[in-house]
PDB file of all heavy atoms in Angstrom:
ATOM      1  N   PRO B   1     -18.586  16.173 -15.809  1.00  0.00           N
ATOM      2  CA  PRO B   1     -18.584  16.201 -17.364  1.00  0.00           C
ATOM      3  C   PRO B   1     -17.199  15.687 -17.761  1.00  0.00           C
ATOM      4  O   PRO B   1     -16.143  15.880 -17.194  1.00  0.00           O
ATOM      5  CB  PRO B   1     -18.668  17.794 -17.584  1.00  0.00           C
ATOM      6  CG  PRO B   1     -19.379  18.260 -16.374  1.00  0.00           C
ATOM      7  CD  PRO B   1     -18.959  17.433 -15.255  1.00  0.00           C
ATOM      8  N   ARG B   2     -17.303  15.119 -19.054  1.00  0.00           N
ATOM      9  CA  ARG B   2     -16.090  14.476 -19.532  1.00  0.00           C
ATOM     10  C   ARG B   2     -15.044  15.501 -20.041  1.00  0.00           C
ATOM     11  O   ARG B   2     -13.868  15.272 -20.295  1.00  0.00           O
ATOM     12  CB  ARG B   2     -16.427  13.619 -20.862  1.00  0.00           C
ATOM     13  CG  ARG B   2     -17.433  12.380 -20.526  1.00  0.00           C
ATOM     14  CD  ARG B   2     -17.128  11.845 -19.238  1.00  0.00           C
ATOM     15  NE  ARG B   2     -16.042  10.914 -19.425  1.00  0.00           N
ATOM     16  CZ  ARG B   2     -15.462  10.220 -18.309  1.00  0.00           C
ATOM     17  NH1 ARG B   2     -16.009  10.327 -17.126  1.00  0.00           N
ATOM     18  NH2 ARG B   2     -14.342   9.399 -18.519  1.00  0.00           N
ATOM     19  N   SER B   3     -15.524  16.862 -20.086  1.00  0.00           N
ATOM     20  CA  SER B   3     -14.583  17.971 -20.438  1.00  0.00           C
ATOM     21  C   SER B   3     -13.625  18.355 -19.339  1.00  0.00           C
ATOM     22  O   SER B   3     -12.663  19.059 -19.640  1.00  0.00           O
ATOM     23  CB  SER B   3     -15.371  19.259 -20.932  1.00  0.00           C
ATOM     24  OG  SER B   3     -16.218  19.602 -19.863  1.00  0.00           O
ATOM     25  N   ALA B   4     -13.928  17.800 -18.143  1.00  0.00           N
ATOM     26  CA  ALA B   4     -12.989  18.048 -17.033  1.00  0.00           C
ATOM     27  C   ALA B   4     -11.877  16.920 -17.018  1.00  0.00           C
ATOM     28  O   ALA B   4     -12.056  15.804 -17.308  1.00  0.00           O
ATOM     29  CB  ALA B   4     -13.841  17.865 -15.634  1.00  0.00           C
ATOM     30  N   ARG B   5     -10.714  17.538 -16.771  1.00  0.00           N
ATOM     31  CA  ARG B   5      -9.369  16.673 -16.845  1.00  0.00           C
ATOM     32  C   ARG B   5      -8.803  16.700 -15.587  1.00  0.00           C
ATOM     33  O   ARG B   5      -8.417  17.736 -15.010  1.00  0.00           O
ATOM     34  CB  ARG B   5      -8.556  17.103 -17.969  1.00  0.00           C
ATOM     35  CG  ARG B   5      -8.996  17.046 -19.271  1.00  0.00           C
ATOM     36  CD  ARG B   5      -9.238  15.441 -19.729  1.00  0.00           C
ATOM     37  NE  ARG B   5      -9.621  15.230 -21.107  1.00  0.00           N
ATOM     38  CZ  ARG B   5     -10.976  15.016 -21.450  1.00  0.00           C
ATOM     39  NH1 ARG B   5     -11.890  15.001 -20.390  1.00  0.00           N
ATOM     40  NH2 ARG B   5     -11.331  14.793 -22.659  1.00  0.00           N
ATOM     41  N   VAL B   6      -8.537  15.629 -14.867  1.00  0.00           N
ATOM     42  CA  VAL B   6      -7.833  15.429 -13.607  1.00  0.00           C
ATOM     43  C   VAL B   6      -6.347  15.574 -13.699  1.00  0.00           C
ATOM     44  O   VAL B   6      -5.843  14.672 -14.426  1.00  0.00           O
ATOM     45  CB  VAL B   6      -8.361  14.192 -12.948  1.00  0.00           C
ATOM     46  CG1 VAL B   6      -7.467  14.048 -11.587  1.00  0.00           C
ATOM     47  CG2 VAL B   6      -9.751  14.132 -12.562  1.00  0.00           C
ATOM     48  N   ARG B   7      -5.725  16.584 -13.151  1.00  0.00           N
ATOM     49  CA  ARG B   7      -4.313  16.835 -13.244  1.00  0.00           C
ATOM     50  C   ARG B   7      -3.573  16.538 -11.893  1.00  0.00           C
ATOM     51  O   ARG B   7      -2.373  16.504 -11.923  1.00  0.00           O
ATOM     52  CB  ARG B   7      -4.053  18.240 -13.805  1.00  0.00           C
ATOM     53  CG  ARG B   7      -4.631  18.400 -15.231  1.00  0.00           C
ATOM     54  CD  ARG B   7      -4.094  19.644 -15.884  1.00  0.00           C
ATOM     55  NE  ARG B   7      -4.628  19.731 -17.292  1.00  0.00           N
ATOM     56  CZ  ARG B   7      -4.271  19.152 -18.269  1.00  0.00           C
ATOM     57  NH1 ARG B   7      -3.166  18.351 -18.253  1.00  0.00           N
ATOM     58  NH2 ARG B   7      -4.895  19.355 -19.443  1.00  0.00           N
ATOM     59  N   HIS B   8      -4.306  16.560 -10.951  1.00  0.00           N
ATOM     60  CA  HIS B   8      -3.680  16.244  -9.463  1.00  0.00           C
ATOM     61  C   HIS B   8      -4.571  15.386  -8.760  1.00  0.00           C
ATOM     62  O   HIS B   8      -5.814  15.539  -8.743  1.00  0.00           O
ATOM     63  CB  HIS B   8      -3.639  17.628  -8.694  1.00  0.00           C
ATOM     64  CG  HIS B   8      -2.448  18.457  -9.184  1.00  0.00           C
ATOM     65  ND1 HIS B   8      -2.666  19.370 -10.230  1.00  0.00           N
ATOM     66  CD2 HIS B   8      -1.206  18.556  -8.790  1.00  0.00           C
ATOM     67  CE1 HIS B   8      -1.380  20.024 -10.425  1.00  0.00           C
ATOM     68  NE2 HIS B   8      -0.568  19.554  -9.540  1.00  0.00           N
ATOM     69  N   ILE B   9      -4.071  14.381  -7.987  1.00  0.00           N
ATOM     70  CA  ILE B   9      -4.750  13.501  -7.172  1.00  0.00           C
ATOM     71  C   ILE B   9      -3.850  13.433  -5.918  1.00  0.00           C
ATOM     72  O   ILE B   9      -2.658  13.106  -5.834  1.00  0.00           O
ATOM     73  CB  ILE B   9      -4.942  12.088  -7.764  1.00  0.00           C
ATOM     74  CG1 ILE B   9      -5.583  12.155  -9.026  1.00  0.00           C
ATOM     75  CG2 ILE B   9      -5.687  11.206  -6.733  1.00  0.00           C
ATOM     76  CD1 ILE B   9      -5.720  10.620  -9.766  1.00  0.00           C
ATOM     77  N   ALA B  10      -4.598  13.857  -4.754  1.00  0.00           N
ATOM     78  CA  ALA B  10      -3.869  13.773  -3.448  1.00  0.00           C
ATOM     79  C   ALA B  10      -4.632  12.830  -2.575  1.00  0.00           C
ATOM     80  O   ALA B  10      -5.745  12.880  -2.514  1.00  0.00           O
ATOM     81  CB  ALA B  10      -3.880  15.220  -2.890  1.00  0.00           C
ATOM     82  N   PHE B  11      -3.742  11.979  -1.874  1.00  0.00           N
ATOM     83  CA  PHE B  11      -4.416  11.097  -0.905  1.00  0.00           C
ATOM     84  C   PHE B  11      -3.929  11.632   0.467  1.00  0.00           C
ATOM     85  O   PHE B  11      -2.742  11.733   0.688  1.00  0.00           O
ATOM     86  CB  PHE B  11      -3.819   9.783  -1.139  1.00  0.00           C
ATOM     87  CG  PHE B  11      -4.213   9.026  -2.466  1.00  0.00           C
ATOM     88  CD1 PHE B  11      -3.368   9.287  -3.556  1.00  0.00           C
ATOM     89  CD2 PHE B  11      -5.320   8.298  -2.606  1.00  0.00           C
ATOM     90  CE1 PHE B  11      -3.727   8.779  -4.758  1.00  0.00           C
ATOM     91  CE2 PHE B  11      -5.733   7.707  -3.777  1.00  0.00           C
ATOM     92  CZ  PHE B  11      -4.863   7.990  -4.847  1.00  0.00           C
ATOM     93  N   GLY B  12      -5.004  11.773   1.324  1.00  0.00           N
ATOM     94  CA  GLY B  12      -4.621  12.298   2.594  1.00  0.00           C
ATOM     95  C   GLY B  12      -5.388  11.494   3.733  1.00  0.00           C
ATOM     96  O   GLY B  12      -6.139  10.564   3.370  1.00  0.00           O
ATOM     97  N   GLY B  13      -5.384  12.035   5.079  1.00  0.00           N
ATOM     98  CA  GLY B  13      -5.972  11.357   6.149  1.00  0.00           C
ATOM     99  C   GLY B  13      -5.924  12.174   7.412  1.00  0.00           C
ATOM    100  O   GLY B  13      -5.781  13.304   7.287  1.00  0.00           O
ATOM    101  N   GLY B  14      -5.972  11.406   8.532  1.00  0.00           N
ATOM    102  CA  GLY B  14      -5.443  10.132   8.609  1.00  0.00           C
ATOM    103  C   GLY B  14      -4.079   9.812   7.880  1.00  0.00           C
ATOM    104  O   GLY B  14      -3.305  10.541   7.704  1.00  0.00           O
ATOM    105  N   SER B  15      -3.979   8.426   7.650  1.00  0.00           N
ATOM    106  CA  SER B  15      -2.869   8.005   6.903  1.00  0.00           C
ATOM    107  C   SER B  15      -3.325   7.064   5.807  1.00  0.00           C
ATOM    108  O   SER B  15      -3.777   6.019   6.121  1.00  0.00           O
ATOM    109  CB  SER B  15      -1.908   7.237   7.855  1.00  0.00           C
ATOM    110  OG  SER B  15      -1.415   8.170   8.789  1.00  0.00           O
ATOM    111  N   PRO B  16      -3.031   7.432   4.632  1.00  0.00           N
ATOM    112  CA  PRO B  16      -3.438   6.464   3.467  1.00  0.00           C
ATOM    113  C   PRO B  16      -2.779   5.163   3.710  1.00  0.00           C
ATOM    114  O   PRO B  16      -3.379   4.165   3.153  1.00  0.00           O
ATOM    115  CB  PRO B  16      -2.968   7.292   2.286  1.00  0.00           C
ATOM    116  CG  PRO B  16      -3.146   8.696   2.617  1.00  0.00           C
ATOM    117  CD  PRO B  16      -2.717   8.693   4.023  1.00  0.00           C
ATOM    118  N   ASN B  17      -1.593   5.130   4.176  1.00  0.00           N
ATOM    119  CA  ASN B  17      -0.945   3.789   4.271  1.00  0.00           C
ATOM    120  C   ASN B  17      -1.515   2.996   5.561  1.00  0.00           C
ATOM    121  O   ASN B  17      -0.926   1.928   6.047  1.00  0.00           O
ATOM    122  CB  ASN B  17       0.569   3.806   4.328  1.00  0.00           C
ATOM    123  CG  ASN B  17       1.085   4.789   5.420  1.00  0.00           C
ATOM    124  OD1 ASN B  17       0.688   5.843   5.703  1.00  0.00           O
ATOM    125  ND2 ASN B  17       2.158   4.276   6.180  1.00  0.00           N
ATOM    126  N   ALA B  18      -2.598   3.544   6.169  1.00  0.00           N
ATOM    127  CA  ALA B  18      -3.338   2.591   7.126  1.00  0.00           C
ATOM    128  C   ALA B  18      -4.153   1.508   6.499  1.00  0.00           C
ATOM    129  O   ALA B  18      -4.513   0.547   7.038  1.00  0.00           O
ATOM    130  CB  ALA B  18      -4.390   3.539   7.825  1.00  0.00           C
ATOM    131  N   ILE B  19      -4.320   1.645   5.075  1.00  0.00           N
ATOM    132  CA  ILE B  19      -4.943   0.526   4.316  1.00  0.00           C
ATOM    133  C   ILE B  19      -3.807  -0.310   3.770  1.00  0.00           C
ATOM    134  O   ILE B  19      -2.652   0.145   3.719  1.00  0.00           O
ATOM    135  CB  ILE B  19      -5.777   1.083   3.366  1.00  0.00           C
ATOM    136  CG1 ILE B  19      -5.002   1.794   2.129  1.00  0.00           C
ATOM    137  CG2 ILE B  19      -6.909   1.969   3.772  1.00  0.00           C
ATOM    138  CD1 ILE B  19      -5.957   2.264   0.959  1.00  0.00           C
ATOM    139  N   ALA B  20      -4.103  -1.503   3.251  1.00  0.00           N
ATOM    140  CA  ALA B  20      -3.058  -2.409   2.791  1.00  0.00           C
ATOM    141  C   ALA B  20      -2.612  -1.838   1.409  1.00  0.00           C
ATOM    142  O   ALA B  20      -3.343  -1.238   0.696  1.00  0.00           O
ATOM    143  CB  ALA B  20      -3.631  -3.826   2.600  1.00  0.00           C
ATOM    144  N   PRO B  21      -1.328  -2.160   0.928  1.00  0.00           N
ATOM    145  CA  PRO B  21      -0.786  -1.693  -0.173  1.00  0.00           C
ATOM    146  C   PRO B  21      -1.672  -2.169  -1.443  1.00  0.00           C
ATOM    147  O   PRO B  21      -1.856  -1.415  -2.369  1.00  0.00           O
ATOM    148  CB  PRO B  21       0.573  -2.408  -0.303  1.00  0.00           C
ATOM    149  CG  PRO B  21       1.005  -2.522   1.119  1.00  0.00           C
ATOM    150  CD  PRO B  21      -0.269  -2.804   1.814  1.00  0.00           C
ATOM    151  N   HIS B  22      -2.257  -3.417  -1.453  1.00  0.00           N
ATOM    152  CA  HIS B  22      -2.965  -3.853  -2.610  1.00  0.00           C
ATOM    153  C   HIS B  22      -4.289  -3.151  -2.714  1.00  0.00           C
ATOM    154  O   HIS B  22      -4.929  -2.930  -3.701  1.00  0.00           O
ATOM    155  CB  HIS B  22      -3.210  -5.370  -2.510  1.00  0.00           C
ATOM    156  CG  HIS B  22      -4.238  -5.863  -1.447  1.00  0.00           C
ATOM    157  ND1 HIS B  22      -3.836  -6.050  -0.218  1.00  0.00           N
ATOM    158  CD2 HIS B  22      -5.546  -5.966  -1.512  1.00  0.00           C
ATOM    159  CE1 HIS B  22      -4.911  -6.443   0.480  1.00  0.00           C
ATOM    160  NE2 HIS B  22      -5.977  -6.378  -0.399  1.00  0.00           N
ATOM    161  N   GLU B  23      -4.823  -2.642  -1.522  1.00  0.00           N
ATOM    162  CA  GLU B  23      -6.051  -1.877  -1.444  1.00  0.00           C
ATOM    163  C   GLU B  23      -5.796  -0.451  -2.059  1.00  0.00           C
ATOM    164  O   GLU B  23      -6.730   0.236  -2.705  1.00  0.00           O
ATOM    165  CB  GLU B  23      -6.580  -1.782  -0.029  1.00  0.00           C
ATOM    166  CG  GLU B  23      -7.094  -3.123   0.425  1.00  0.00           C
ATOM    167  CD  GLU B  23      -7.389  -3.081   2.028  1.00  0.00           C
ATOM    168  OE1 GLU B  23      -6.772  -2.242   2.787  1.00  0.00           O
ATOM    169  OE2 GLU B  23      -8.393  -3.722   2.376  1.00  0.00           O
ATOM    170  N   PHE B  24      -4.625   0.116  -1.896  1.00  0.00           N
ATOM    171  CA  PHE B  24      -4.204   1.342  -2.344  1.00  0.00           C
ATOM    172  C   PHE B  24      -4.133   1.296  -3.977  1.00  0.00           C
ATOM    173  O   PHE B  24      -4.745   2.123  -4.654  1.00  0.00           O
ATOM    174  CB  PHE B  24      -2.830   1.834  -1.840  1.00  0.00           C
ATOM    175  CG  PHE B  24      -2.601   3.206  -2.259  1.00  0.00           C
ATOM    176  CD1 PHE B  24      -3.115   4.412  -1.706  1.00  0.00           C
ATOM    177  CD2 PHE B  24      -1.562   3.482  -3.225  1.00  0.00           C
ATOM    178  CE1 PHE B  24      -2.748   5.581  -2.151  1.00  0.00           C
ATOM    179  CE2 PHE B  24      -1.189   4.671  -3.673  1.00  0.00           C
ATOM    180  CZ  PHE B  24      -1.799   5.884  -3.174  1.00  0.00           C
ATOM    181  N   VAL B  25      -3.562   0.159  -4.461  1.00  0.00           N
ATOM    182  CA  VAL B  25      -3.574   0.010  -5.920  1.00  0.00           C
ATOM    183  C   VAL B  25      -4.949  -0.167  -6.408  1.00  0.00           C
ATOM    184  O   VAL B  25      -5.277   0.483  -7.581  1.00  0.00           O
ATOM    185  CB  VAL B  25      -2.808  -1.336  -6.217  1.00  0.00           C
ATOM    186  CG1 VAL B  25      -2.864  -1.593  -7.724  1.00  0.00           C
ATOM    187  CG2 VAL B  25      -1.251  -1.109  -5.796  1.00  0.00           C
ATOM    188  N   ARG B  26      -5.881  -0.829  -5.806  1.00  0.00           N
ATOM    189  CA  ARG B  26      -7.256  -0.987  -6.303  1.00  0.00           C
ATOM    190  C   ARG B  26      -7.925   0.396  -6.217  1.00  0.00           C
ATOM    191  O   ARG B  26      -8.690   0.704  -7.177  1.00  0.00           O
ATOM    192  CB  ARG B  26      -8.007  -1.927  -5.241  1.00  0.00           C
ATOM    193  CG  ARG B  26      -9.460  -2.320  -5.857  1.00  0.00           C
ATOM    194  CD  ARG B  26      -9.945  -3.358  -4.925  1.00  0.00           C
ATOM    195  NE  ARG B  26      -9.153  -4.631  -4.734  1.00  0.00           N
ATOM    196  CZ  ARG B  26      -9.124  -5.252  -3.731  1.00  0.00           C
ATOM    197  NH1 ARG B  26      -9.772  -5.069  -2.636  1.00  0.00           N
ATOM    198  NH2 ARG B  26      -8.237  -6.502  -3.732  1.00  0.00           N
ATOM    199  N   LEU B  27      -7.679   1.354  -5.267  1.00  0.00           N
ATOM    200  CA  LEU B  27      -8.231   2.540  -5.199  1.00  0.00           C
ATOM    201  C   LEU B  27      -7.758   3.423  -6.387  1.00  0.00           C
ATOM    202  O   LEU B  27      -8.604   4.053  -6.957  1.00  0.00           O
ATOM    203  CB  LEU B  27      -7.828   3.229  -3.916  1.00  0.00           C
ATOM    204  CG  LEU B  27      -8.654   4.424  -3.334  1.00  0.00           C
ATOM    205  CD1 LEU B  27     -10.090   4.059  -3.181  1.00  0.00           C
ATOM    206  CD2 LEU B  27      -8.011   4.949  -2.080  1.00  0.00           C
ATOM    207  N   VAL B  28      -6.521   3.413  -6.750  1.00  0.00           N
ATOM    208  CA  VAL B  28      -5.991   4.136  -7.840  1.00  0.00           C
ATOM    209  C   VAL B  28      -6.519   3.574  -9.147  1.00  0.00           C
ATOM    210  O   VAL B  28      -6.895   4.373 -10.033  1.00  0.00           O
ATOM    211  CB  VAL B  28      -4.463   4.011  -7.831  1.00  0.00           C
ATOM    212  CG1 VAL B  28      -3.887   4.594  -9.211  1.00  0.00           C
ATOM    213  CG2 VAL B  28      -3.821   4.705  -6.779  1.00  0.00           C
ATOM    214  N   ASN B  29      -6.772   2.321  -9.265  1.00  0.00           N
ATOM    215  CA  ASN B  29      -7.391   1.760 -10.521  1.00  0.00           C
ATOM    216  C   ASN B  29      -8.784   2.219 -10.601  1.00  0.00           C
ATOM    217  O   ASN B  29      -9.342   2.499 -11.741  1.00  0.00           O
ATOM    218  CB  ASN B  29      -7.393   0.128 -10.371  1.00  0.00           C
ATOM    219  CG  ASN B  29      -5.941  -0.352 -10.611  1.00  0.00           C
ATOM    220  OD1 ASN B  29      -5.033   0.389 -11.146  1.00  0.00           O
ATOM    221  ND2 ASN B  29      -5.712  -1.629 -10.250  1.00  0.00           N
ATOM    222  N   THR B  30      -9.485   2.322  -9.518  1.00  0.00           N
ATOM    223  CA  THR B  30     -10.870   2.760  -9.517  1.00  0.00           C
ATOM    224  C   THR B  30     -11.020   4.325  -9.978  1.00  0.00           C
ATOM    225  O   THR B  30     -11.879   4.616 -10.722  1.00  0.00           O
ATOM    226  CB  THR B  30     -11.559   2.700  -8.162  1.00  0.00           C
ATOM    227  OG1 THR B  30     -11.526   1.355  -7.681  1.00  0.00           O
ATOM    228  CG2 THR B  30     -13.022   3.158  -8.080  1.00  0.00           C
ATOM    229  N   LEU B  31     -10.062   5.128  -9.570  1.00  0.00           N
ATOM    230  CA  LEU B  31      -9.971   6.439  -9.962  1.00  0.00           C
ATOM    231  C   LEU B  31      -9.812   6.520 -11.487  1.00  0.00           C
ATOM    232  O   LEU B  31     -10.181   7.378 -12.166  1.00  0.00           O
ATOM    233  CB  LEU B  31      -8.931   7.308  -9.148  1.00  0.00           C
ATOM    234  CG  LEU B  31      -9.240   7.520  -7.714  1.00  0.00           C
ATOM    235  CD1 LEU B  31      -7.903   7.798  -6.894  1.00  0.00           C
ATOM    236  CD2 LEU B  31     -10.332   8.541  -7.520  1.00  0.00           C
TER     237      LEU B  31
END
């Protein structure tokens, strides 16, 4: 629902820096 507001985003794993830096940017843009 659009009434929900995201105030925290956590990236975990594994290791999020197992992906390439530009892929991480793309992931944040998707979110």
